[in-house]
């Protein structure tokens, strides 16, 4: 048996019991296969609670794609060898050298599920440790208590697995295990982070964007599609973006409502539309990038009045974050540089100089008496365009497919 390179996937087992566990693992395997699409490594195998991916080409590329699959806790580069001591020893030395090229402290830990293997676990550890010392002189020293670096040897039926160290995974839950929601995606810094937080907990997302063309430029929409393209890398499947034509609603509000309530009423329309799109796509929650106190529409009073238009749960994963924390997340995710491009958002176009910080529900409702709410909503939905974003690009979906909810997802 030739030595083979594998990546072994460790997943969080906390809270996973019985049937849930199988669902979780099946979904995780599926998502790994989707993330590796186009690479020769896409043949994932699962056995005895282990998910492994063979490394056939560029290990870094495979590892980088796996780092974007939620549900993975750690990725271990493994050498699989014949179940013979010399092969195990050579693999252990190579793994240690790769993890600690300049020397350091280590410990060998061995396990043996193949009980026919002639050495007991402690004997394997001693033989491997002895070999490492013999080959490297004083470069490495043994540390038996609280070792930072562990050379793991596992002798299993199908071969011996040897590894030292691991790369961190994205953690969270596999996308698709947490139901489906819509994310209100603006071109700002916050909402892409909210989308990431939704996906991290396993939620399958559809994005809803409100555009005010021609008051906002086509580049404003492009910015949102570029954000969706980055986010799609973490979704392991395309993300659909519903671009709602919001201009007529904004014009109607501007014409019929007092200026200081403009944002409040505009946002009530956004939530009504988001709820409708959610229903059409079998989604049962709405995510936003709001955080208390950030702007006038994010006071508790504003959120109360705005939120009153929907009974669907509105989830705000950034609710307690400061801007700095959100920015750091956005940088990690890879959306920050796109979000800070200077194109205007639909909110800024009609921004009144003094938006109401403490609006009242009765007043907002009274003002909406002057608007044809249902007709405006229906007209905006009728002019919604749907795009599908993947890490490689964005395509507009033909209308028939969009109407029938056929996104190829
Ligand atoms: P962001 O950085 O996400 O734009 P923000 O701090 O600018 O957030 P607001 O403009 O008040 O805050 O928007 C609050 C939330 O409402 C956003 O996080 C987003 O979820 C949603 N939202 C705002 N504008 C739009 C839009 N044009 N299309 C879709 N959702 C939007
Ligand atoms: Mg914004």
């Amino acid at each position: 048996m030739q030595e083979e390179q594998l990546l072994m996937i460790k997943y969080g087992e906390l809270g996973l019991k019985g049937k849930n566990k199988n669902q979780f693992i099946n979904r995780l395997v599926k998502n790994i296969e989707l993330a590796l699409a186009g690479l020769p490594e896409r043949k994932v195998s699962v056995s005895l609670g282990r998910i492994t991916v063979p490394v056939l080409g560029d290990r870094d590329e495979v590892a980088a794609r796996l780092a974007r699959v939620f549900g993975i806790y750690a990725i271990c580069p493994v050498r699989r060898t014949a179940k013979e001591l010399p092969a195990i020893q050579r693999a252990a030395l190579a793994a240690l050298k790769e993890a600690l090229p300049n020397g350091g402290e280590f410990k060998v830990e061995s396990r043996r599920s193949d009980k026919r293997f002639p050495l007991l676990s402690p004997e394997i550890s001693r033989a491997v440790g002895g070999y490492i010392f013999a080959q490297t002189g004083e470069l490495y020293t043994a540390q038996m208590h609280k070792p930072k670096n562990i050379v793991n040897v596992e002798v299993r039926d199908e071969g011996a697995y040897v590894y030292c160290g691991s790369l961190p995974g994205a953690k969270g839950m596999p996308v698709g295990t947490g139901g489906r929601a819509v994310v209100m995606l603006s071109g700002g810094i916050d909402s892409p982070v909210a989308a990431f937080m939704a996906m991290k907990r396993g939620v399958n997302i559809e994005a809803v964007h409100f555009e005010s063309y021609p008051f906002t430029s086509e580049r404003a929409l492009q910015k949102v599609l570029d954000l969706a393209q980055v986010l799609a890398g973490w979704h392991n499947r395309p993300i659909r973006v519903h671009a709602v034509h919001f201009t007529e609603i904004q014009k109607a509000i501007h014409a019929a409502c007092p200026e200081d309530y403009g944002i409040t009423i505009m946002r009530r329309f956004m939530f009504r539309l988001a709820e409708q799109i959610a229903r059409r796509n079998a989604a049962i929650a709405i995510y936003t990038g709001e955080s208390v106190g950030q702007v006038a529409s994010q006071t508790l009073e504003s959120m109360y009045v705005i939120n009153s238009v929907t009974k669907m749960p509105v989830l705000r994963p950034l609710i307690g974050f400061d801007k700095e924390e959100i920015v750091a997340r956005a940088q990690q995710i890879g959306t920050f540089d796109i979000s800070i491009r200077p194109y205007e958002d639909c909110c800024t176009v009609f921004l009144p100089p003094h938006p109401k910080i403490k609006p009242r529900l009765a007043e907002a409702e009274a003002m909406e008496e002057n608007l044809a709410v249902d007709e405006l909503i229906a007209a905006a939905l009728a002019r919604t365009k749907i795009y599908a974003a993947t890490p490689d690009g964005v395509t507009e979906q033909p209308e028939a497919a969009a109407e029938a909810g056929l996104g190829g997802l």
Side-chain angles (χ1 to χ4, degrees):
M1 180 184 192
Q2 280 280 60
E3 184 177 304
E4 285 174 294
Q5 301 239 0
L6 308 170
L7 290 171
M8 188 172 76
I9 311 275
K10 292 194 169 167
Y11 46 83
E13 283 185 89
L14 234 58
L16 295 174
K17 291 197 194 82
K19 265 192 200 151
N20 283 347
K21 182 167 171 169
N22 283 337
Q23 266 178 10
F24 175 99
I25 293 170
N26 291 342
R27 178 62 67 169
L28 181 57
V29 168
K30 176 93 189 135
N31 289 357
I32 291 171
E33 287 172 346
L34 289 169
L36 299 179
L39 297 181
E41 280 83 2
R42 64 193 178 281
K43 192 82 208 75
V44 174
S45 64
V46 191
S47 91
L48 298 171
R50 281 290 158 78
I51 301 175
T52 52
V53 177
V55 176
L56 306 170
D58 180 355
R59 191 177 80 183
D60 292 346
E61 167 70 15
V62 180
R65 294 214 197 176
L66 292 176
R68 282 165 193 254
V69 178
F70 290 117
I72 294 181
Y73 269 60
I75 304 157
C76 304
V78 172
R79 291 169 160 78
R80 183 162 66 191
T81 73
K83 288 185 286 183
E84 288 156 9
L85 190 58
I88 294 172
Q89 287 170 321
R90 280 195 301 273
L93 178 59
L96 181 62
K97 275 188 171 165
E98 192 182 325
L100 277 185
N102 302 317
E105 295 174 341
F106 78 101
K107 179 184 179 186
V108 182
E109 280 184 3
S110 306
R111 256 172 295 169
R112 196 180 64 126
S113 57
D114 176 2
K115 302 294 179 201
R116 293 162 306 176
F117 191 73
L119 299 181
L120 299 174
S121 299
E123 293 169 344
I124 301 173
S125 295
R126 269 201 300 279
V128 169
Y131 175 80
I132 289 172
F133 293 131
Q135 295 293 314
T136 57
E138 294 181 352
L139 192 55
Y140 297 103
T141 49
Q143 168 58 266
M144 302 317 245
H145 306 291
K146 296 198 188 158
K148 270 210 210 88
N149 305 289
I150 297 179
V151 176
N152 293 278
V153 177
E154 291 182 26
V155 181
R156 296 172 151 241
D157 285 341
E158 67 275 21
Y161 290 67
V162 180
Y163 59 97
C164 181
S166 64
L167 311 163
K171 307 203 168 58
M173 308 285 279
V175 172
T177 56
R180 183 185 291 271
V182 297
V183 177
M184 287 168 52
L185 189 63
S186 69
I189 296 169
D190 305 336
S191 49
V193 178
F196 174 90
M197 303 285 259
M199 293 187 285
K200 182 166 191 248
R201 297 307 302 165
V203 175
N204 210 311
I205 61 168
E206 306 242 345
V208 177
H209 176 69
F210 304 101
E211 59 165 340
S212 307
Y213 188 80
F215 296 106
T216 55
S217 66
E218 268 166 14
R219 286 184 300 185
L221 172 64
Q222 191 56 48
K223 187 177 168 186
V224 171
L225 297 178
D226 290 349
L227 287 168
Q229 186 175 336
V230 172
L231 293 170
W234 298 94
H235 200 236
N236 312 142
R237 50 182 62 61
I239 294 182
R240 295 207 302 172
V241 180
H242 303 257
V244 183
H245 181 73
F246 202 56
T247 320
E248 306 313 319
I249 292 176
Q250 284 186 295
K251 283 194 206 158
I253 295 171
H254 195 64
C257 302
E259 202 181 48
D260 59 347
Y261 264 76
I263 295 267
T264 311
I265 294 177
M266 183 187 86
R267 293 190 62 77
R268 283 165 59 90
F269 273 91
M270 285 186 176
F271 278 92
R272 290 182 178 109
L273 285 159
E275 179 181 315
Q276 295 268 343
I277 291 172
R279 288 192 192 291
R280 289 181 173 197
N281 291 281
I284 53 171
I286 301 168
Y287 277 79
T288 79
E290 291 164 299
S291 155
V292 170
Q294 218 185 56
V295 289
S297 62
Q298 294 174 29
T299 61
L300 285 185
E301 291 85 351
S302 283
M303 287 202 234
Y304 170 72
V305 175
I306 293 163
N307 211 149
S308 299
V309 297
T310 178
K311 286 209 174 78
M312 200 171 266
V314 177
L315 305 176
R316 301 174 172 93
L318 312 185
I319 200 68
F321 281 12
D322 293 338
K323 198 74 185 186
E324 267 174 38
E325 296 169 293
I326 301 172
V327 164
R329 268 301 169 98
Q331 281 166 333
Q332 247 174 31
I333 299 165
T335 51
F336 183 74
D337 291 341
I338 303 171
S339 291
I340 58 173
R341 285 186 209 155
Y343 308 120
E344 66 293 340
D345 179 60
C346 74
C347 300
T348 44
V349 176
F350 289 89
L351 194 67
H354 302 291
K356 200 86 180 160
I357 292 170
K358 296 187 177 184
R360 295 172 49 133
L361 182 57
E363 286 191 40
E365 284 172 349
M367 290 168 195
E368 286 174 0
E369 297 285 323
N370 301 321
L371 294 169
V373 174
D374 294 342
E375 289 78 358
L376 285 166
I377 298 268
L381 286 175
R383 291 183 67 179
T384 296
K385 288 192 172 150
I386 302 185
Y387 300 85
T390 71
D392 301 323
V394 179
T395 47
E396 189 175 340
Q397 302 219 293
E399 243 156 67
E403 271 300 304
L406 303 171
L409 306 181

